[in-house]
Amino acid sequence: MRLLIVEDERRLALSLARGLTAEGFAVDVVHDGAEGLHRASEGEYDLIVLDIMLPGMNGYRVCGALRAAGDETPVLMLTAKDGEYDEAEGLDTGADDYLTKPFSYVVLLARVRALLRRRTRGARTVLRLGTLSVDPGSRRVSVGERDVEVTAKEFAVLEHLAVRPGDVVSKAEILEHVWDFAYEGDVNIVEVYVSALRRKLGAGWIATVRGAGYRLVDADA
């Protein structure tokens, strides 16, 4: 899952990004409303954490502009304000949930996961290919009756492949989805995680398409 944080309090934004990255999310961070709207409009995000009091363009306007453009990405609004009017205004502009500062990171994480579950409910809950099962809700991976222990980043890579079973997914696509836009390391980091997944899942599940990328296939077929 790829998240966008639009928050002008840099220490808070960095703290949230670190915590969510540790949970396996790819997280991009911007610090003003106009850049947040641009990033949200140009990128593909699963959820946006959006502060209301932002320089240049406040969160109400950002959320309203996204909804007017037909963007239904879930939005969790953050604000230092408190009061029913502020909450109502945020929800009226199209926000999906609302959290007042100061808040517990544990509560924020729970809200994020709830919004992501709500978005996928009725569409896909568990991704399956043959005997391979990838559950985004519980972050559980299994092959037949065998549970497979994977790290947060390994799960994110596998999930991205499992969303498109049989399709060739390039290293660049995996990097964009699983790592944040500021990542400047070696693109071959993807190979490291794919190799780890192959060891854990067993042979045959992830095929290499030379010069193109990787493809999740049914190892039992």
Side-chain angles (χ1 to χ4, degrees):
M1 294 288 181
R2 191 174 185 85
L3 311 184
L4 174 64
I5 296 175
V6 189
E7 169 61 67
D8 64 328
E9 293 183 36
R10 291 175 183 267
R11 290 181 62 184
L12 173 59
L14 180 59
S15 176
L16 293 179
R18 285 175 174 167
L20 291 167
T21 298
E23 295 293 329
F25 297 106
V27 184
D28 294 340
V29 179
V30 295
H31 302 294
D32 67 79
E35 177 63 17
L37 177 59
H38 172 73
R39 185 79 63 179
S41 301
E42 295 296 319
E44 294 186 8
Y45 293 97
D46 297 288
L47 184 139
I48 301 169
V49 179
L50 177 65
D51 189 31
I52 290 179
M53 302 302 291
L54 293 166
M57 186 178 193
N58 67 38
Y60 297 134
R61 293 176 58 199
V62 173
C63 187
L66 289 172
R67 295 300 185 245
D71 190 326
E72 296 300 321
T73 304
V75 172
L76 172 60
M77 275 194 165
L78 307 179
T79 182
K81 293 183 175 182
D82 190 11
E84 293 181 0
Y85 176 79
D86 300 312
E87 180 174 355
E89 186 174 356
L91 296 175
D92 284 345
T93 59
D96 298 271
D97 203 353
Y98 184 98
L99 201 55
T100 302
K101 301 174 185 176
F103 53 80
S104 160
Y105 170 74
V106 173
V107 172
L108 177 133
L109 180 59
R111 298 283 186 92
V112 165
R113 286 177 170 164
L115 287 173
L116 292 173
R117 284 196 302 271
R118 189 184 308 167
R119 188 184 195 194
T120 58
R121 187 176 297 139
R124 69 176 195 275
T125 52
V126 180
L127 305 170
R128 301 183 189 278
L129 179 63
T131 57
L132 173 64
S133 173
V134 180
D135 187 343
S138 65
R139 305 181 78 80
R140 181 187 176 193
V141 177
S142 61
V143 176
E145 298 298 318
R146 176 173 65 91
D147 285 341
V148 181
E149 295 295 328
V150 296
T151 67
K153 194 70 78 177
E154 289 166 356
F155 183 90
V157 172
L158 179 60
E159 180 186 18
H160 193 52
L161 292 170
V163 168
R164 299 166 54 187
D167 291 349
V168 177
V169 183
S170 69
K171 289 181 183 178
E173 288 179 84
I174 296 173
L175 273 176
E176 182 179 357
H177 183 83
V178 178
W179 281 263
D180 62 60
F181 74 93
Y183 178 75
E184 297 179 350
D186 191 341
V187 67
N188 291 324
I189 187 67
V190 176
E191 294 181 10
V192 175
Y193 283 90
V194 169
S195 294
L197 285 168
R198 283 171 169 158
R199 288 195 303 270
K200 293 180 177 183
L201 296 175
W205 289 104
I206 303 176
T208 298
V209 181
R210 191 173 300 278
Y214 301 99
R215 180 170 56 206
L216 191 68
V217 296
D218 186 350
D220 300 322

